[in-house]
Amino acid sequence: MTAEALREAVLTARKNLAVWRRGLQPEAELCRLQYAALARHAAKAFHAGTWRDLGELRGFLAPLSNAAEGSLPPLEAAMGAEERLALAAELLRLLPELFPEPAEAQQSLAGPVAALDNPFFAAAAERFAPLTGDAPILTVPAFADVCEAVSRGNACFGILPLEDSADGKLLHVYEQIDRFELHISHTADISYPDGSKTVRFALFSHTEPISTAVAGEGMLECSQFGENRGGLVELLNTALATGLSLRRIDAIPAPYGADGFFYHPIFRTAGGNVRLFEAYLACFMPRTTITARYVHI
């Protein structure tokens, strides 16, 4: 076959695929309309007192569960997630009280910043200075002491590294922040002097994210326990369908000999419908939780 003949075959294939894909659209739209209609039935049942929280609703929706979709062809799994988004979107419109938005940003805090005494922490503190009001540094000896200082009110802010571009996420730091019930509000990358790699630092406090006019890129982190690939596939398909983009994902074997992994994806939220993504998780993916929302500057 000549190059010209191959190019002609590719163009013919492109035309045929476009026609056949258009042929799939009417049936796909019917599926979305069915899910939207089901959401309206669910809303009426809610107002009638048939169910009172999303946990109860998930029980009713169990026959539509995606639990077995790990074995489905990729296209069918993706279409299923997009169809179920129609139900989540309609419920979000009809029953917004079931999907509360994150708390309003607090007024800017004023007070010390807990950090370790080394050049990387100093560089991170300088990057975060527009957010902390050039607050003084409270030097502490260890990572856990940073979290403890913020938790006890000895510092308004804490600074810790979250990930290393060469070694990945520092999960023990996440565990410390979570254990003390602290909230990441911003992150920033600090480069090694030789430019060989970067360390991503987090600014966090005991309150919800602080108010600021500093521009940056929205980030959303999730945690999912997956016993099969179906859950992760559904999560990624849903993120894609709602306009979120994957920045990175880490897979950690489940502790205590459990058969499965904890997946920790980070999504960029610019241009995406975060509320719809969150509503879908609430309706269909209770084993996936949102662990952090912050701005990368």
Side-chain angles (χ1 to χ4, degrees), residues 207-245:
T207 69
E208 292 295 324
I210 60 177
S211 175
T212 178
V214 175
E217 184 179 31
M219 296 285 177
L220 184 147
E221 298 199 18
C222 296
S223 176
Q224 180 191 77
F225 176 69
E227 295 176 303
N228 56 58
R229 69 183 178 92
L232 180 59
V233 169
E234 182 179 6
L235 179 62
L236 297 179
N237 282 333
T238 304
L240 180 63
T242 53
L244 279 60
S245 60

Side-chain angles (χ1 to χ4, degrees), residues 89 190 220 265 277 297:
I190 305 300
L220 184 147
F277 177 75
I297 62 174

Side-chain angles (χ1 to χ4, degrees), residues 216-221 242-247 266-274 277-278 292-295:
E217 184 179 31
M219 296 285 177
L220 184 147
E221 298 199 18
T242 53
L244 279 60
S245 60
L246 182 66
R247 176 183 168 263
I266 302 176
F267 297 105
R268 295 183 173 92
T269 62
N273 190 334
V274 176
F277 177 75
E278 294 176 346
R293 303 174 181 84
Y294 54 85
V295 175

Side-chain angles (χ1 to χ4, degrees), residues 28-49:
E29 180 62 20
L30 285 175
C31 291
R32 289 190 289 269
L33 290 172
Q34 176 64 82
Y35 271 103
L38 181 58
R40 292 190 287 274
H41 287 299
K44 290 179 182 178
F46 175 80
H47 291 303

Side-chain angles (χ1 to χ4, degrees), residues 4-56:
E4 185 59 34
L6 179 57
R7 292 190 188 96
E8 185 64 30
V10 170
L11 291 175
T12 299
R14 185 178 68 175
K15 292 176 183 178
N16 289 340
L17 290 170
V19 170
W20 296 331
R21 284 170 182 154
R22 282 197 299 271
L24 296 174
Q25 290 306 308
E27 287 78 6
E29 180 62 20
L30 285 175
C31 291
R32 289 190 289 269
L33 290 172
Q34 176 64 82
Y35 271 103
L38 181 58
R40 292 190 287 274
H41 287 299
K44 290 179 182 178
F46 175 80
H47 291 303
T50 305
W51 60 277
R52 303 309 303 169
D53 59 51
L54 290 172
E56 290 182 81

Side-chain angles (χ1 to χ4, degrees), residues 11 44 62 74 76 115 143 160 169 228:
L11 291 175
K44 290 179 182 178
E76 190 171 343
F143 285 9
L160 284 176
K169 292 177 72 171
N228 56 58

